[in-house]
Amino acid sequence: MVFVGRKNELASLEAQYNSNRFELAIVYGRRRVGKTYLLNHFLAAHEGAYMVGLESGASNNLESLSQAVYRATGMVKTGQLQSTLPAFSTITAALTHLFEYSLNHRVVFIIDEYPYLAESIPSVSSELQVLVDAYKDRSQLMLILCGSSMSFMENQVLGHKSPLYGRRTAQYKIKPFTYIEARQMVPHLSYEDSAIAFGLTGGVAEYLSYFRDGDSLDESIISLFFTPTGRLVDEPSSLLKQELREPRQYNAILSAIAKGASRNNEIATKVDMTTGALNNYLKSLIDLQIIEKIHPVGSTSNKSIYAIKDSMYTFWYRFVEPNQGAIENFNGNLVYTQYVKPMLSHFMGPVFETMAEQYVQARIHCGTVPFLPQEMGHWWGTDSRTRQQVEIDLVALADIQKDPNAGPVRHLLVGECKWKNNPIGLDVLVSLMDKACVLHGEPYYWLFSKRGFGFIEDNERVELIDLPMMYEL
């Protein structure tokens, strides 16, 4: 598989390696996002070893750790499947051997799925803390702890109550690919189809790798989501079972949000739960990076809503879950052609807004945005002139003070996104200009269109951006 993206993370890991002093890197992110692939790619260029924490007992994990320490210290050849060397007697003994070796050798040691190791041997973080404190000023060890349990890594490894708090020298939160990076995983698809693939997978690397070179987009969607043996036919449900108790209740909550419920009381009504009880479930889903609580950008009001952050979950709960019976009876191709494909454009609306925000971020890095935004996101509220509700797909803003004797001036970038089969007309620009008045600033207007524009605009404050332009940065 071709190595895609992660340039910043890889460069930072290399910089840590080149320091030749003790380094403790914490790498975390949701399952399937590509953490292991990144670390294996990094390790391939350096001396060291890799182990995976096992969802098993202490003795099995100690055996696995021991063999990895033997490989890292040259006592067992890398790639050798079995060793006659016995396991160390304790975790401390194994790690002490590693630290002692690192006094004279630059070595990388990676513990993947660290939460499993810590669950089977609860003292491991405390034992690591003692060794780090004893050896950090002399050691050349680059230790990497990696995990998919977001709450564990943030609270029990990075959190202030963790024994390892303050010892890490870098942390990496590995995120899904942007739409531009995702395209590198599916280069055989058109711009439009690769955008849909990005939406269907949420930019998750492993899911994108399932799209086969010889298959059309429709064939890939049917084989992955709408056949009984499809690799993504029950993926969200399976992940919830791994991460959470009461998966049935979480399934109901996500289904309600995917189908349009966004406020606490709306969701609670849909799932027959009190708003107080619902809050604990929502918090768990936020911790897992599956949903997010958002508010109008630039606003201090409490008009927050809940939205699914991972668009693959939106697709699954909207289209796959309700049709599981038909899919199990091998009628998934009919489900897709009759019910799903006609609704793909509607599904892609919010995905296209995410793409537009990522495009603005890419332009910021290129230095081609008129100002440096301090906030960016979605905006909704009431137009005081008309008492009508207004929504703006994309708002980036910054309060910039150029004159010390005057107050700051609000600079705005407002965007409208249309995933439609027809070119955008001038009426869309006129409407956006009118809606932007409610934000009281100096706006720039960016229109994003799947199929281009039916007009030409010669205005330095207006940009017309079609799908090929978004990919050909």
Side-chain angles (χ1 to χ4, degrees):
M1 187 186 297
V2 176
F3 187 79
V4 171
R6 314 300 185 207
K7 293 180 180 178
N8 293 332
E9 293 90 344
L10 195 57
S12 182
L13 286 168
E14 290 292 347
Q16 283 191 274
Y17 181 84
N18 292 330
S19 74
N20 288 320
R21 59 175 181 263
F22 174 76
E23 300 281 358
L24 173 57
I26 310 300
V27 178
Y28 66 109
R30 56 151 296 172
R31 295 185 188 279
R32 322 283 200 258
V33 81
K35 304 180 299 297
T36 298
Y37 195 73
L38 166 67
L39 294 178
N40 278 324
H41 183 82
F42 169 71
L43 182 61
H46 304 294
E47 295 294 326
Y50 171 96
M51 75 154 285
V52 180
L54 305 173
E55 205 170 3
S56 183
S59 60
N60 286 340
N61 272 290
L62 179 57
E63 171 69 25
S64 180
L65 177 70
S66 298
Q67 298 306 320
V69 168
Y70 290 142
R71 292 194 301 274
T73 57
M75 297 177 69
V76 173
K77 291 182 180 180
T78 300
Q80 186 174 331
L81 296 179
Q82 291 188 339
S83 162
T84 58
L85 296 175
F88 287 93
S89 57
T90 64
I91 282 283
T92 293
L95 292 174
T96 299
H97 184 81
L98 177 66
F99 273 92
E100 281 290 326
Y101 178 82
S102 74
L103 295 178
N104 298 306
H105 302 86
R106 186 53 164 169
V107 61
V108 178
F109 195 80
I110 299 170
I111 304 177
D112 202 353
E113 295 297 357
Y114 181 73
Y116 289 153
L117 177 63
E119 184 179 343
S120 70
I121 307 175
S123 64
V124 64
S125 292
S126 296
E127 295 181 65
L128 260 179
Q129 173 209 334
V130 172
L131 290 169
V132 168
D133 290 347
Y135 283 92
K136 64 182 179 180
D137 294 331
R138 300 172 292 141
S139 170
Q140 298 178 60
L141 173 65
M142 183 172 179
L143 178 62
I144 302 175
L145 306 181
C146 179
S148 300
S149 173
M150 303 287 282
S151 58
F152 184 95
M153 298 301 290
E154 290 181 340
N155 297 324
Q156 299 188 48
V157 177
L158 294 169
H160 68 277
K161 293 183 179 180
S162 166
L164 295 173
Y165 180 72
R167 274 82 179 172
R168 67 107 176 93
T169 56
Q171 66 188 65
Y172 303 81
K173 186 175 182 179
I174 308 302
K175 298 178 181 180
F177 286 144
T178 66
Y179 75 93
I180 295 173
E181 293 167 328
R183 169 144 181 83
Q184 297 177 54
M185 299 287 292
V186 288
H188 60 287
L189 297 179
S190 67
Y191 287 147
E192 186 174 322
D193 286 353
S194 65
I196 295 172
F198 166 73
L200 294 171
T201 61
V204 172
E206 184 169 324
Y207 303 154
L208 285 160
S209 73
Y210 298 160
F211 285 73
R212 294 182 297 197
D213 196 352
D215 290 352
S216 68
L217 177 68
D218 288 342
E219 289 170 336
S220 290
I221 295 174
I222 292 170
S223 69
L224 293 175
F225 290 99
F226 296 99
T227 60
T229 56
R231 299 179 80 167
L232 299 177
V233 71
D234 65 351
E235 179 71 0
S237 178
S238 175
L239 287 175
L240 289 183
K241 289 175 184 175
Q242 292 180 50
E243 298 286 354
L244 298 164
R245 299 172 184 172
E246 301 179 271
R248 182 176 299 179
Q249 199 68 271
Y250 288 99
N251 271 313
I253 293 167
L254 287 167
S255 180
I257 298 174
K259 293 169 185 173
S262 60
R263 300 185 186 280
N264 188 297
N265 60 337
E266 295 174 342
I267 302 166
T269 300
K270 292 280 188 183
V271 300
D272 194 23
M273 188 183 293
T274 66
T275 55
L278 176 66
N279 285 331
N280 290 328
Y281 291 94
L282 294 174
K283 183 180 182 303
S284 295
L285 290 170
I286 290 171
D287 289 343
L288 288 172
Q289 307 282 300
I290 296 172
I291 70 170
E292 58 185 338
K293 185 177 183 180
I294 58 177
H295 61 272
V297 65
S299 171
T300 57
S301 73
N302 291 321
K303 296 187 296 184
S304 58
I305 62 173
Y306 294 92
I308 293 181
K309 188 173 184 179
D310 186 329
S311 55
M312 191 270 281
Y313 279 76
T314 302
F315 181 81
W316 192 87
Y317 280 100
R318 193 178 297 174
F319 299 117
V320 181
E321 185 202 34
N323 295 295
Q324 285 179 320
I327 295 168
E328 286 297 321
N329 287 316
F330 296 92
N331 290 316
N333 58 331
L334 296 177
V335 170
Y336 176 70
T337 55
Q338 293 183 20
Y339 299 123
V340 180
K341 191 171 182 179
M343 295 298 293
L344 270 182
S345 286
H346 184 262
F347 163 75
M348 282 298 295
V351 174
F352 197 40
E353 293 173 17
T354 298
M355 291 172 60
E357 186 169 334
Q358 292 178 357
Y359 173 82
V360 174
Q361 292 285 8
R363 289 277 301 269
I364 290 170
H365 290 307
C366 294
T368 56
V369 174
F371 60 92
L372 179 61
Q374 296 164 332
E375 292 185 64
M376 183 157 52
H378 191 62
W379 190 91
W380 65 94
T382 304
D383 187 338
S384 59
R385 302 167 301 170
T386 63
R387 305 286 183 183
Q388 298 293 313
Q389 286 295 303
V390 172
E391 288 191 36
I392 303 177
D393 294 338
L394 176 65
V395 174
L397 61 85
D399 294 319
I400 301 173
Q401 186 169 0
K402 295 182 178 179
D403 184 347
N405 299 315
V409 175
R410 172 154 289 188
H411 290 253
L412 298 167
L413 189 159
V414 293
E416 187 82 11
C417 308
K418 297 293 185 184
W419 187 267
K420 296 184 179 298
N421 289 330
N422 299 318
I424 286 182
L426 183 61
D427 59 312
V428 175
L429 176 59
V430 173
S431 173
L432 180 61
M433 288 178 165
D434 182 62
K435 289 190 291 187
C437 292
V438 304
L439 298 176
H440 307 295
E442 296 185 357
Y444 293 83
Y445 309 94
W446 288 17
L447 298 185
F448 298 85
S449 172
K450 179 176 80 166
R451 291 289 172 84
F453 303 89
F455 66 98
I456 298 173
E457 183 67 23
D458 186 18
N459 182 334
E460 65 178 11
R461 287 190 169 266
V462 176
E463 284 207 33
L464 307 180
I465 302 156
D466 62 18
L467 193 60
M469 292 172 63
M470 294 176 71
Y471 278 104
E472 295 168 3
L473 276 169

